[in-house]
Amino acid sequence: GLYWTDRYAEARETCVALLAADPGNAFARQVLGLALAALGEHAAAVEELEAMVAAMPQHAVALGSLGYA
């Protein structure tokens, strides 16, 4: 994936498009949050990851991702 190969801006664009088509796509929301954090957009990253945690409060990866941002 784009995020895992340090292509953060492309990952952000791809995830935004995916979420426009499927707002419930938790994986896209997580990767978007991580990409935003990697790009230094921490407030936006926290917002995205908080939405993921709200949707999946018991998901350890969601919680860990929020801690990263």
Side-chain angles (χ1 to χ4, degrees):
L2 296 169
Y3 173 80
W4 308 114
T5 57
D6 300 335
R7 294 164 59 189
Y8 305 123
E10 290 175 82
R12 176 184 55 199
E13 293 168 13
T14 300
C15 290
V16 167
L18 286 169
L19 289 166
D22 180 11
N25 186 327
F27 181 71
R29 191 159 309 280
Q30 177 195 13
V31 173
L32 175 58
L34 293 172
L36 289 167
L39 291 166
E41 299 176 35
H42 298 285
V46 168
E47 184 178 322
E48 291 298 332
L49 294 167
E50 282 179 341
M52 182 181 174
V53 169
M56 304 170 67
Q58 301 301 318
H59 195 279
V61 174
L63 293 168
S65 296
L66 180 56
Y68 168 78

